[in-house]
Amino acid sequence: MSGEPTLVHLLARAARARPSAEAVVSGDRRVTYAELWENVRRAAGFLRDKNLRAGDRVCLLMRNSPEYVACYYGVLAVGAVVVPLNQEAKARDLGVWVRHASARWVIADATHPEREALATILGSDAAAIPAAEVLAAEPAAVDPDHAAPAGINALASIIYTSGTTGEPKGVMLSHGNLASNVLAIVQYLRLTAADRVLAALPFFYSYGNSVLHTHLSVGATLVLESGMMYPQRIVETMRNERVTGFSGVPWMFVLLLERTAFGTMRADLSALRYFTQAGAAMAPRDIARVRAAYPDVEFYVMYGQTEATARLTYLPPADVGRIADSAGQPIPGVRLEVRRPDGSMASPGESGEVHAAGPNVMLGYWNAPAATEAAIADEPAGRWLRTGDIGFRDADGYLFLVGRSSEIIKTGAHRVSPAEIEEAVLRLDGVAEAGACGVPDDQLGEAIQVVVV
């Protein structure tokens, strides 16, 4: 390996070290690292036969599967750019993203309900190819050093974070962004080849994407489940596959606690070592319920953004019981600052916009220089991401989030964070979920409205 590693370097290393180990488990299918690497080579071979050029964009419209993993890494291996698409979206929206990315290819599940409609919309602009055809190609020789032909700062992936209500917003992530965030997460989660994570988060989503790459980078095993429609099947798979980790957003943990026997299965799930939670703030009482059911399983609270590849901060398990409402401290390699509107540093306890710098901060937004300039500030002290999140740090440096700058409710003379309202309502008995927002009001400008489950 020359220079800094890429995801392809990390997967190649795992495949050499553990060729017969399980890389991906999907139902009755068990794909070893050797088999996965062979399929990566097949995807690379297909794309090379189609004269794919370095930097060309390739979209993936696939459910979580061994084929998705192989195609993702196959695209990177030939120096192209992966554009994961929301597999739940309709053809109209998918077409907007494909065209915005100027993608030449869409690799799709043959049974995807929108594949034919998407092909019709795209016409000759891009080819929609079944994944099975891609993985039937002759395997090509793959040199991990060619994965980033223009260097570690070359574009590796574009992740779309908005739909068609406005201009699509494609977050550009470099090979260095992806690898640095993966290695930092591996470090604080202490992931090893012995880990087996249940992956129910979609891989096109930034959080799911990080679960995919972190575990493959150390030779661990991904145990795939297709979402949370059948939550009892999730816990049965955890038990049967001796899962060591589970990553979810708050409602997933609540669903497991309230709709399954998860809360009383500690003996059956004795292999569990860690939980990770991100995607939104989880009510401290729900964290406490999980920790009470699994007192010896490490619970990590995490915070991040797609624009920061995935992760910015984490709250170590030892701190969760003490300050469960904190987003924690920066992950390795990341710097955080809370700034006032004039750009000066906020004092401890004083709210301001969270700024972040580090090797995981995105290159910018695809074909959107004005949006990039608004989000990224190149300063003498580094390249800073304006997160748009409002928060404060305490005297010990722990970060606390209070809302989004665009969501602050301006009611009368007051500035109110929806998150603070939601946190208060969630303390009430009988409330499972709450969402607060501002609604027009003739006297106050905005009144506070709360929707409660």
Side-chain angles (χ1 to χ4, degrees):
M1 184 187 77
S2 61
E4 297 178 56
T6 66
L7 295 184
V8 180
H9 282 117
L10 298 173
L11 179 61
R13 182 182 66 185
R16 285 194 302 269
R18 310 189 73 226
S20 60
E22 292 178 346
V24 186
V25 174
S26 180
D28 294 332
R29 298 178 60 195
R30 297 180 182 274
V31 178
T32 67
Y33 272 92
E35 291 166 338
L36 176 58
W37 186 250
E38 178 77 356
N39 279 333
V40 170
R41 294 176 57 217
R42 290 183 183 278
F46 176 90
L47 295 170
R48 283 179 180 161
D49 287 346
K50 298 298 181 182
N51 298 316
L52 192 82
R53 300 182 301 270
D56 280 349
R57 275 74 62 200
V58 180
C59 295
L60 300 186
L61 182 58
M62 307 167 68
R63 67 187 186 282
N64 288 10
S65 64
E67 289 77 17
Y68 179 102
V69 180
C71 289
Y72 190 108
Y73 279 83
V75 172
L76 292 184
V78 296
V81 178
V82 183
V83 186
L85 299 178
N86 182 346
Q87 61 153 340
E88 303 296 334
K90 295 299 182 182
R92 180 190 62 186
D93 300 330
L94 294 166
V96 170
W97 294 323
V98 174
R99 285 205 170 101
H100 187 262
S102 299
R104 297 179 59 199
W105 306 99
V106 179
I107 303 174
D109 288 326
T111 57
H112 194 283
E114 299 295 313
R115 185 173 70 87
E116 292 186 4
L118 177 61
T120 300
I121 290 172
L122 295 175
S124 60
D125 292 346
I129 308 296
E133 181 179 335
V134 174
L135 298 178
E138 286 297 315
V142 170
D143 182 352
D145 285 336
H146 292 164
I152 202 71
N153 292 322
L155 181 61
S157 182
I158 299 173
I159 299 180
Y160 281 95
T161 62
S162 63
T164 56
T165 54
E167 185 69 15
K169 186 183 286 186
V171 174
M172 297 191 296
L173 300 177
S174 70
H175 289 272
N177 291 153
L178 291 165
S180 66
N181 213 227
V182 161
L183 294 174
I185 295 168
V186 165
Q187 179 180 333
Y188 72 73
L189 288 184
R190 298 180 294 106
L191 297 178
T192 71
D195 279 307
R196 300 171 65 84
V197 66
L198 191 137
L201 295 162
F203 290 154
F204 66 78
Y205 167 48
S206 181
Y207 189 6
N209 192 54
S210 72
V211 172
L212 162 65
H213 301 311
T214 50
H215 291 77
L216 290 182
S217 74
V218 296
T221 303
L222 294 165
V223 179
L224 307 186
E225 272 294 347
S226 55
M228 300 290 291
M229 182 173 291
Y230 303 104
Q232 186 58 37
R233 190 169 72 187
I234 296 289
V235 294
E236 290 170 358
T237 300
M238 286 184 185
R239 178 192 62 206
N240 296 340
E241 293 294 336
R242 300 287 296 164
V243 162
T244 65
F246 176 73
S247 297
V249 295
W251 68 263
M252 296 169 73
F253 286 97
V254 174
L255 186 67
L256 292 178
L257 286 169
E258 297 186 352
R259 301 293 178 86
T260 76
F262 178 69
T264 59
M265 291 182 64
R266 184 63 191 113
D268 292 326
L269 303 180
S270 59
L272 276 171
R273 180 179 72 79
Y274 69 93
F275 296 123
T276 70
Q277 175 269 309
M282 187 167 173
R285 70 176 182 192
D286 290 329
I287 295 176
R289 291 167 66 193
V290 175
R291 295 181 70 243
Y294 293 86
D296 55 342
V297 176
E298 298 174 333
F299 193 103
Y300 292 84
V301 172
M302 307 188 304
Y303 156 67
Q305 291 188 340
T306 304
E307 287 85 347
T309 305
R311 205 58 54 225
L312 283 169
T313 69
Y314 79 104
L315 186 64
D319 292 328
V320 170
R322 183 171 62 89
I323 46 173
D325 53 342
S326 170
Q329 296 190 333
I331 70 170
V334 168
R335 290 177 290 158
L336 286 186
E337 292 183 357
V338 176
R339 300 183 184 181
R340 303 183 181 103
D342 63 4
S344 60
M345 197 85 69
S347 302
E350 180 185 1
S351 292
E353 184 178 5
V354 179
H355 287 58
N360 57 325
V361 171
M362 67 172 180
L363 298 175
Y365 296 113
W366 176 257
N367 283 345
T372 298
E373 185 177 355
I376 300 290
D378 288 308
E379 302 174 359
R383 193 163 178 271
W384 290 86
L385 170 68
R386 304 182 182 100
T387 67
D389 289 323
I390 303 300
F392 65 89
R393 300 182 80 176
D394 67 11
D396 296 319
Y398 287 87
L399 178 67
F400 294 79
L401 299 171
V402 299
R404 294 281 296 170
S405 58
S406 60
E407 296 172 350
I408 295 297
I409 302 168
K410 300 175 182 178
T411 180
H414 302 285
R415 300 295 181 266
V416 179
S417 163
E420 292 178 317
I421 300 296
E422 292 160 2
E423 182 181 340
V425 174
L426 284 169
R427 294 195 186 105
L428 301 175
D429 291 337
V431 176
E433 297 178 88
C437 64
V439 294
D441 184 271
D442 291 339
Q443 293 183 330
L444 298 174
E446 284 185 300
I448 300 169
Q449 176 176 285
V450 182
V451 181
V452 173
V453 178

